[in-house]
Amino acid sequence: MATKKTTKATSPAKSDPNAFKVTESKDTRSQTLAKLVAGGVLSAVTLKQFSGAGEDLEVSDLVGEMKKAGDEAVAGDLGRVERMLANQMLTLDHLFNNLAQRSGRQDAFKGIEVLMRLALKAQAQARSTAEALALLKNPQPYIRQANMTTGPQQVNNAYAGTPSHSGIQSGAGNIQSEQNKLLEADHGQRLDIGAQAAAGRANQKLETVG
């Protein structure tokens, strides 16, 4: 009786989730590695390490998703960044409340101080994140002005209508008003250049002949 030989099906080898497959190209090995390092592969490895996803998350998939996020930012689509900041703000606010509540349950002053200090730090970071999100949604115009001076000079960049600018204008008006007063006579009469002046006592020979 002939016996049949059974073969056991072998499953394909499981790929290394920490490895990154490189397609063949004309670049040298050093050039290929340089492109991978500069392209964010190291960041993907670091992100995987701190993500807690374990071996189920492959570095190659993470590199592709991070490249997609980078392309969105370059194209001007900052929706992912806005969602990230909003999530971080909520997380920091939750951290603040957790630490503040734990501080309130402490009996020793040292425990209250340590936890409350950490709570306030989390609160400050939540506020900064909210400000960054608001600035991203409503960017402020940036005006750059370069003032080039030589020597002991003072540059005044006050705009017209500001209190400092108004003060300068009123000061200039006062100076001109004082100069006009110097040209006036003692009895309120203005100096007449074309009128004939009376002779003084210092030199009687120059008296006007009637």
Side-chain angles (χ1 to χ4, degrees):
M1 182 177 177
T3 59
K4 294 182 179 180
K5 186 177 180 181
T6 59
T7 58
K8 186 177 181 180
T10 59
S11 58
K14 187 178 180 180
S15 59
D16 186 3
N18 296 321
F20 186 80
K21 297 180 181 180
V22 181
T23 57
E24 295 183 359
S25 63
K26 297 180 180 180
D27 297 333
T28 63
R29 181 177 178 83
S30 176
Q31 292 174 342
T32 302
L33 292 176
K35 289 182 179 180
L36 292 176
V37 171
V41 176
L42 293 180
S43 299
V45 174
T46 305
L47 180 57
K48 177 187 175 180
Q49 182 179 356
F50 285 94
S51 66
E55 298 301 323
D56 294 334
L57 177 60
E58 296 187 4
V59 175
S60 57
D61 295 335
L62 193 55
V63 169
E65 190 64 25
M66 293 179 67
K67 184 180 183 302
K68 180 181 177 181
D71 293 339
E72 292 174 356
V74 171
D77 182 8
L78 300 179
R80 188 191 298 259
V81 179
E82 294 175 0
R83 288 190 294 269
M84 177 196 69
L85 290 174
N87 294 333
Q88 289 181 356
M89 179 186 63
L90 296 175
T91 304
L92 288 167
D93 181 67
H94 176 74
L95 183 61
F96 160 74
N97 286 282
N98 181 271
L99 291 169
Q101 293 174 11
R102 290 173 59 186
S103 174
R105 294 192 294 266
Q106 298 296 315
D107 296 331
F109 178 77
K110 187 65 176 177
I112 296 175
E113 181 185 9
V114 171
L115 290 173
M116 202 61 186
R117 185 179 301 172
L118 294 175
L120 293 177
K121 286 185 178 181
Q123 187 269 344
Q125 291 299 323
R127 175 182 54 79
S128 299
T129 306
E131 291 178 353
L133 181 59
L135 186 61
L136 187 63
K137 295 291 292 184
N138 303 293
Q140 300 296 326
Y142 177 71
I143 301 176
R144 183 176 180 180
Q145 180 177 358
N147 298 323
M148 307 299 295
T149 61
T150 57
Q153 299 180 8
Q154 180 179 358
V155 179
N156 194 337
N157 293 325
Y159 291 97
T162 59
S164 59
H165 184 79
S166 300
I168 294 174
Q169 293 292 340
S170 61
N174 293 334
I175 294 174
Q176 179 141 7
S177 177
E178 293 295 333
Q179 292 177 351
N180 292 336
K181 289 181 180 180
L182 293 176
L183 296 177
E184 295 180 359
D186 295 339
H187 300 287
Q189 299 179 356
R190 295 184 177 276
L191 182 62
D192 189 359
I193 301 177
Q196 189 174 7
R201 294 183 179 181
N203 193 346
Q204 297 296 332
K205 294 181 180 181
L206 296 179
E207 290 185 359
T208 306
V209 180

